[in-house]
Amino acid sequence: MSKTYLIVTEQRDGKLRRVSLEALRAALDCAEAGDEIHAALLGEGLDGLAAELAGYPLAQVHAIEGEELRHYNPEAYIGALAPLLEALRPAGLFLGHTALGRDLAPALAARLSAGQISDVTAIERDGGERDGGERDGGERDDGERDDGERHGGQIVFVRPLYAGKAIERKVFTAFPQVVTVRANNLPAAEPRRDGGTAIVAKRAAAPVADLRTVVREVVRRTAGKIDLTEARIVIAGGRGVKSAEGFRPLEELAGLLGGAVGASRGACDAGYCDYGLQIGQTGKVVTPEIYIACGISGAIQHLAGMSGSRVIVAINKDPEAPIFSIADFGIVGDLFEVVPLLTQAFRQALA
Amino acid sequence: MNIAVLLKQTFDTEEKIVLRDGKASEDGVKFIVNPYDEYAIEEAIRLKEAHGGQVTALSLGPARVAEALRTALAMGADEAIWIDDAGIPQDESAAAEAIAAALGQQSFDLVLGGNFSVDTGGAQVAVRVAAALGLPHVTSITKLTVDGGTASVERDAEGDLERIDVTLPALFTAQQGLNEPRYPSLPGIMKAKKKPFKSLTAQDLGFTDGRTAEAARTVRISLSLPPGRQAGQMLHGTPQEQATALVGLLRNGVRTI
C-alpha cells in the first residue's frame, strides 16, 4: 500500500531553509514508487514560500497560516499540525535537526506514538551508501533515478554518537516514523525539472484553546547571519584569539567567504564570545565543507564537534598542537598575522 | 514547589570510544552526569532555595547510575529515583514511557532536564516525557524565573533569544549559560548517604515481557568508528606564501570557494 510522508519545513528570514530541502531528500530516499510526499509550511504570509516549495517533487504543500505561528511555539505548532496529521496519517515525518526540529519532532513523535531517529547524516539501503558520500549532489535528478533501486531492502539511518566519536546505524521497527536530519549532510532536493508544481492547500490554523505557552519576544541576534550548523565554511577561534576583539579578523574572513564564525569551549569559557558559537561535544556539531581552526589546540571534545568537516585547516603558533594531527592543511603561525593575509589572498583570488 | 530533575549518566567527554562486541567498551571508562543535566540539577536546587520545596532526581540506567544520582543528592537534591533499565528497550520512546510512568506516581510543578545527552544525543526523551505527562515544554533555556504559577524563561534558538511565559506545571531543558553548577560539598556528600533512594524495575512501571518489544520503535543494528583522519600537509614559506598557497589549495580542491 502506498504511503504518505510529511516534511515539516522551516523558514528563516522569510527564506526556505536548505535543511528542509535536505529533509525532503531524506523522504525521497525512503519513499517507494506510488508513495506521496507532502510538505507543511507554518507561519504568516506564506504565499511566496508555498509557491516556491510547490516547485519541488511534492504531491501537496500545506500552508497553515495563523498569528500564533509567527514565532515558533510548540503548543501552537502541534495544534496547527494536528488536523493535517489526522487527515494524512503519515507513515513518516521529516524535519531538520534544528532548534525547531529538536523541539517539535519528539513532541509530534510522542503524539503519534512513533519512533524517532534524530540527527541523521546518511541514509542507506541494502547496506549500500546512498547519501552522505555525495555531498554536492547537485547533478542528481529525481526523475531519472532508477525506481527499481528503491524497492526492497531495509532503510538504515546513519547518525553520530558521542558527537561523532562513533557512528550508529539504526532502523525503525514500526510505523509511523519520525526523522530529523542534520544540516549539510544529505544533498538538498532539487526543484522539479518538468515545470510542474505541487498543489498548494491553504488553511487557517484552528485556534488552540488556552495556550499555556506564550512567546513574548524574539530577539534576533542572528538576523542576516549564516547559521553555524548550516554554514558551508566555518572559521573558528580558540583561546589563541585572546579577546572578544580577537574574533574580528575571523569575522572578516567569514564575511568574505559567506561563512560563519564558531569557537572552541576555551574561547567561550574565557568570555571572548557567546556560548552559542561553541563547537564540540558540549556544543554544536558542525560538518562544513571547510573548517578553519584559528588558535585552537584541539582538545578531544572540540575534535568531536568538527572532525566530520570535509576539509580542515589549522592555524596555530604551536607546531605540536593536536589539531594538526587531523588537519588537511596546517600553517604554523600567528593567527593575527596569517588570517588577514588569508583574507587578502582570498579577496584577490575572488576578484 | 516540587521539582523533578531527569539526569543521565554519560561517558566523560574526554573518553575515547573503544568498540568491543559491537558496543562502546565501558572498561576503565569514567562516567559523569551528562553536562546539560548538571545545569538542570543546579537550577532545581536554586529554585528550591528561593521558593522552598523538594527536588527529586531521577535516572534510568544500569546500577552504576546510582553514582550520578548520589552526585545530585550531594549537590542538594532531596531524594533519588533509580529506574533499572533491565527489561526496558534502549529506545527513546521506551525510556520516556518508563520515566513518565515513574514521575506520574507523584505530582511536580516543574520538570527539568538537559538539552540533550552528550552520548546518544537524540534530544528526545525530555520532550516525550512532557508529552506523556500532558505538560507544556520549552527546550534549551538559558534563564528561568518562577513567579507563582508562571515561569518566565529565555530560550536559545540557534543564537536567537526567545522570551517565553509558561503556565506551570511545565518541563524545561537546560542549555549552557543557564547557571554555573556547584560542586558537591563534603557535608553534602555525607548527607546524601541518608537521603531517600528509591529503586524501580521495568515491571514496576508496566513493562511486562509482552510489552517490552512493542515499546521499542527503533533498534540499533551496528556501531562503528568513523574513518580516522590523517594529518595532512604542513605548509611552508613566509606567512604570505603560505596564505597564497592555502587559497590555491582550497580553491582547487573544494568547489565551494
Side-chain angles (χ1 to χ4, degrees), chain B residues 186-205:
Chain B
L186 190 59
I189 293 166
M190 299 311 289
K191 275 190 213 156
K193 292 176 179 166
K194 293 179 188 146
K195 289 180 176 173
F197 192 104
K198 188 172 162 185
S199 304
L200 293 170
T201 65
Q203 287 203 324
D204 294 333
L205 300 169

Side-chain angles (χ1 to χ4, degrees), chain A residues 27 230 260:
Chain A
E230 277 186 287

Side-chain angles (χ1 to χ4, degrees), chain A residues 140-162:
Chain A
R140 289 171 57 157
D141 185 348
D142 299 311
E144 286 168 18
R145 290 180 68 193
D146 177 10
D147 259 342
E149 185 200 358
R150 297 187 182 194
H151 289 289
Q154 206 169 20
I155 298 171
V156 180
F157 296 87
V158 183
R159 62 186 302 273
L161 282 193
Y162 308 100

